[in-house]
Amino acid sequence: MEGTRRRSTKSIHSHKLVDHDEKSTVAGQKASDALPLPLYITNALFFTVFFSVVYFMLARWREKIRNSTPLHILTFSEIVAIFAFITSFIYMLGFFGIDFIQSLILRPSPDVWGAHDDEEDEEDLLIEDARKVPCGQALDCAAPSPPQKLAVEPVAVVVPSPLLKPKAVDEIPFPTTLTEEDEEIISSVVAGRTPSYSLESKLGDCKRAAAIRREALQRITSKSLSGLPLEGFDYESILGQCCEMPIGYVQIPVGVAGPLLLDGKEYSVPMATTEGCLVASTNRGCKAINLSGGASSVLLRDAMTRAPVVRFGTAKRAAQLKLYLEDPANFEVVSTAFNKSSRFGRLQNIKCALAGKNLYMRFSCGTGDAMGMNMVSKGVQNVLDFLQNDFPDMDVLGISGNYCSDKKPAAVNWIEGRGKSVVCEAIIKGDVVRKVLKTKVETLVELNMLKNLTGSAMAGALGGFNAHASNIVSAIFIATGQDPAQNVESSHCITMMEPLNGGEDLHVSVTMPSIEVGTVGGGTQLASQSACLNLLGVKGACKETPGANARLLATIVAGSVLAGELSLMSAIAAGQLVQSHMQYNRANKDNVAAKVSS
């Protein structure tokens, strides 16, 4: 097993250290190096203090019990002894307790990360293939020359990524400083002795943990991650809330559409996307709206939902709970139980549905500036605990029974709404339709009826009576730190177009019943996403009117969808869709350079 660990260590070094003393010079500084005394003396001192204090305290308490002296009355020496006990206990727990247990369970030897060269290891290495990195698909691998022993006096080992650059991927170089201790940890992860998910808690350094996990993954899979950036990201900011076991981050370009004139104010809308033409098309829609005097919006509802499922012995008993929850006389006592877990979570209504002896209870509540899934879930749990008093035979099968419905297309969201329900409209002047959108009012109205309404009905669409609302929703969600999976119900939209003023002008509107957004929590606190929220003026919580920032963000999403719908429908009506996508999606670098220079 030690031979296996040495083999993975050698794959990253350009030379092999010839003895143990040279290895210790390469290793980075350890926590024990900061101690004023040698480690073994410090250990002996704290062991002596710990057991001496324990003996002293036991003797004193036995004497107090014999003399009937209250144990809580302490002398100065006893206070000092307690302090020394706590201090020595913490030291031993931190420096011995965890590592000692792991050495018994996870590792074959008492040395946590260390390893020693021996004759057996050398024999294992000699029979191994000289190729350090197995060739995998998409890697240009060549067998390196046999390893050579170099007797050098190293100060630090600075190595780039050991794997070779994959085809068609431009490597983003970043130097990785790997100490001998890092090498041992990587070898332990590769061998399965150290769980990858425990690196952050074990090392106390999130970036170092990500680098070690990344290197271990490259060795295990024999695949290069050279195109995936590691540097330039705050890994501490995602610990425990955004992403587990990170190995880097994906770069998505952010474009800006606008200004979007909405309710008398202008907004520059950030859109994170890799689809060419999307930002340009939305930007053209914003221009058409601005030249026509802007768009207006109205927020109809603001309530996040959660629907647990419970079971009773009979359908009659389940119906009794349904009637109890829907009785207005009981709403106050139920809402009191719901509201006690949050300052902002306020129960609005409960809608129940019965399926045999199973009851689905859809709780709707306001959640301030948070998207609110965790908030409403805590409130629902409070109500379930409260109901157990009067309905002890209620069997809670799940805090979510899919009647909410979260991250799935569902008629209940399309009809009842979830999150923010918004309508946004604009009147586009005939001249703008002809000169900016390059089409005619009557053509747009007919196309909308045949495509967005009739065509969607023929397809059996659920909430999809639009051209491409999810395109804009997804791009804004990613840019502003929303949950991308909630694009499913947030993109429910029906686009309407009607002629006005004898067919001269165009009335266009989008109705979106379930936009699920927040400006606090989750990915909104990350630096890039926070900057995009700040661009829109909705960063963080609104102190004056809780929930105002999240509601404004929902209206901006709807206004941007309106602009995107207007522009795409015009491109289809004018026969420009294929041409524009070929121009923006298929443009090669030479053509782009020629256009820029011209």
Side-chain angles (χ1 to χ4, degrees):
M1 183 172 286
E2 288 295 320
T4 304
R5 187 164 58 179
R6 185 71 65 254
R7 287 192 290 273
S8 58
T9 302
K10 283 185 66 180
S11 67
I12 201 169
H13 281 289
S14 59
H15 62 271
K16 181 177 181 296
L17 303 181
V18 294
D19 56 39
H20 180 68
D21 293 335
E22 287 177 318
K23 257 187 207 175
S24 61
T25 343
V26 178
Q29 291 186 348
K30 301 179 181 179
S32 59
D33 297 339
L35 297 174
L37 297 174
L39 183 59
Y40 72 94
I41 297 180
T42 306
N43 294 342
L45 176 62
F46 274 93
F47 263 112
T48 303
V49 170
F50 178 80
F51 289 107
S52 300
V53 167
V54 169
Y55 177 80
F56 171 77
M57 292 173 62
L58 290 175
R60 289 292 299 155
W61 288 342
R62 182 174 60 182
E63 182 180 347
K64 286 185 176 184
I65 293 173
R66 288 178 177 177
N67 299 333
S68 300
T69 304
L71 296 179
H72 66 274
I73 299 178
L74 302 176
T75 64
F76 177 75
S77 60
E78 292 171 341
I79 294 175
V80 173
I82 293 174
F83 176 78
F85 171 78
I86 296 174
T87 304
S88 58
F89 177 77
I90 292 175
Y91 175 86
M92 289 193 296
L93 180 64
F95 278 78
F96 300 108
I98 299 174
D99 284 342
F100 177 72
I101 293 173
Q102 290 175 342
S103 68
L104 294 178
I105 300 176
L106 300 177
R107 297 182 173 88
S109 68
D111 188 359
V112 179
W113 302 112
H116 302 279
D117 289 328
D118 53 30
E119 296 298 326
E120 183 179 352
D121 290 340
E122 290 295 330
E123 293 175 4
D124 291 339
L125 289 172
L126 290 175
I127 64 175
E128 282 295 311
D129 188 351
R131 182 174 301 172
K132 303 303 184 301
V133 182
C135 288
Q137 294 179 353
L139 287 178
D140 292 328
C141 294
S145 58
Q148 298 179 356
K149 290 186 178 181
L150 299 177
V152 296
E153 194 71 30
V155 177
V157 180
V158 181
V159 295
S161 181
L163 297 183
L164 299 176
K165 184 168 64 176
K167 295 178 180 178
V169 175
D170 293 328
E171 182 174 358
I172 302 176
F174 53 89
T176 303
T177 303
L178 294 174
T179 65
E180 189 71 15
E181 184 179 11
D182 291 339
E183 285 293 332
E184 296 302 332
I185 301 174
I186 293 171
S187 300
S188 182
V189 173
V190 171
R193 295 188 297 273
T194 299
S196 178
Y197 62 79
S198 67
L199 290 176
E200 278 80 5
S201 59
K202 185 182 297 295
L203 300 176
D205 185 338
C206 292
K207 181 180 177 181
R208 183 184 173 203
I212 289 175
R213 180 182 297 111
R214 173 195 184 99
E215 185 58 47
L217 181 64
Q218 290 187 122
R219 296 184 186 184
I220 292 171
T221 63
S222 300
K223 298 295 189 297
S224 173
L225 293 172
S226 60
L228 183 69
L230 175 69
E231 300 290 338
F233 189 82
D234 181 10
Y235 293 94
E236 304 284 345
S237 64
I238 64 174
L239 181 64
Q241 54 183 339
C242 289
C243 181
E244 298 77 37
M245 296 193 289
I247 57 172
Y249 60 96
V250 172
Q251 296 170 309
I252 301 179
V254 178
V256 60
L260 170 67
L261 183 58
L262 178 66
D263 297 324
K265 295 183 179 179
E266 291 187 345
Y267 301 95
S268 296
V269 183
M271 302 176 68
T273 182
T274 55
E275 180 182 348
C277 206
L278 178 59
V279 177
S281 177
T282 307
N283 189 65
R284 183 175 75 150
C286 291
K287 179 180 179 181
I289 292 173
N290 282 15
L291 292 176
S292 300
S296 60
S297 66
V298 57
L299 188 136
L300 305 176
R301 284 185 297 267
D302 180 8
M304 182 48 64
T305 64
R306 176 61 85 195
V309 54
V310 299
R311 174 182 292 171
F312 288 90
T314 63
K316 181 178 180 180
R317 186 63 173 157
Q320 290 175 352
L321 178 56
K322 179 180 185 296
L323 296 175
Y324 173 86
L325 292 174
E326 293 179 346
D327 187 351
N330 298 323
F331 181 79
E332 183 176 354
V333 64
V334 174
S335 63
T336 300
F338 184 97
N339 297 341
K340 68 181 182 180
S341 62
S342 172
R343 291 185 298 139
F344 303 105
R346 292 295 176 263
L347 183 64
Q348 296 180 3
N349 62 74
I350 307 172
K351 181 180 179 64
C352 298
L354 203 63
K357 57 183 181 179
N358 303 307
L359 181 64
Y360 297 83
M361 302 169 284
R362 192 173 191 259
F363 292 79
S364 300
C365 83
T367 57
D369 283 305
M371 184 271 290
M373 285 300 301
N374 294 331
M375 191 182 300
V376 66
S377 296
K378 289 190 293 183
V380 167
Q381 187 61 57
N382 292 338
V383 174
L384 293 176
D385 295 339
F386 167 77
L387 291 176
Q388 289 283 3
N389 297 325
D390 294 329
F391 296 88
D393 54 335
M394 179 180 69
D395 183 15
V396 180
L397 301 181
I399 191 68
S400 174
N402 272 6
Y403 187 52
C404 315
S405 175
D406 186 39
K407 302 174 184 176
K408 292 167 284 292
V412 68
N413 293 337
W414 177 242
I415 298 170
E416 298 290 336
R418 189 171 193 257
K420 279 71 175 171
S421 300
V422 182
V423 178
C424 190
E425 64 179 347
I427 298 175
I428 309 300
K429 298 177 181 178
D431 288 343
V432 174
V433 173
R434 290 186 292 271
K435 296 179 181 178
V436 177
L437 301 176
K438 311 299 183 182
T439 186
K440 300 177 181 179
V441 171
E442 59 270 20
T443 306
L444 277 175
V445 172
E446 183 181 22
L447 177 64
N448 185 73
M449 186 269 293
L450 292 176
K451 171 182 169 61
N452 289 340
L453 303 183
T454 308
S456 296
M458 292 293 292
L462 179 59
F465 297 88
N466 57 81
H468 70 149
S470 62
N471 252 339
I472 292 87
V473 172
S474 296
I476 299 177
F477 269 32
I478 295 172
T480 58
Q482 310 305 313
D483 188 340
Q486 290 184 322
N487 164 68
V488 175
E489 60 267 40
S490 296
S491 295
H492 282 184
C493 171
I494 182 168
T495 301
M496 302 292 293
M497 293 185 182
E498 299 177 13
L500 286 182
N501 302 324
E504 178 61 25
D505 301 326
L506 174 72
H507 180 274
V508 56
S509 67
V510 292
T511 302
M512 306 181 69
S514 51
I515 302 178
E516 299 169 358
V517 293
T519 58
V520 296
T524 65
Q525 50 85 34
L526 298 178
S528 301
Q529 289 81 345
S530 180
C532 291
L533 289 172
N534 189 56
L535 176 64
L536 294 171
V538 294
K539 177 182 176 181
C542 180
K543 297 180 180 179
E544 294 78 14
T545 308
N549 282 354
R551 290 191 288 269
L552 177 56
L553 178 58
T555 61
I556 293 173
V557 170
S560 303
V561 169
L562 181 70
E565 290 287 282
L566 188 61
S567 182
L568 177 59
M569 291 295 290
S570 299
I572 296 175
Q576 299 172 341
L577 179 65
V578 175
Q579 178 184 354
S580 61
H581 273 267
M582 291 300 294
Q583 178 182 354
Y584 287 94
N585 278 358
R586 298 292 183 267
N588 58 48
K589 294 181 179 180
D590 295 335
N591 290 342
V592 172
K595 291 177 182 177
V596 171
S597 61
S598 61

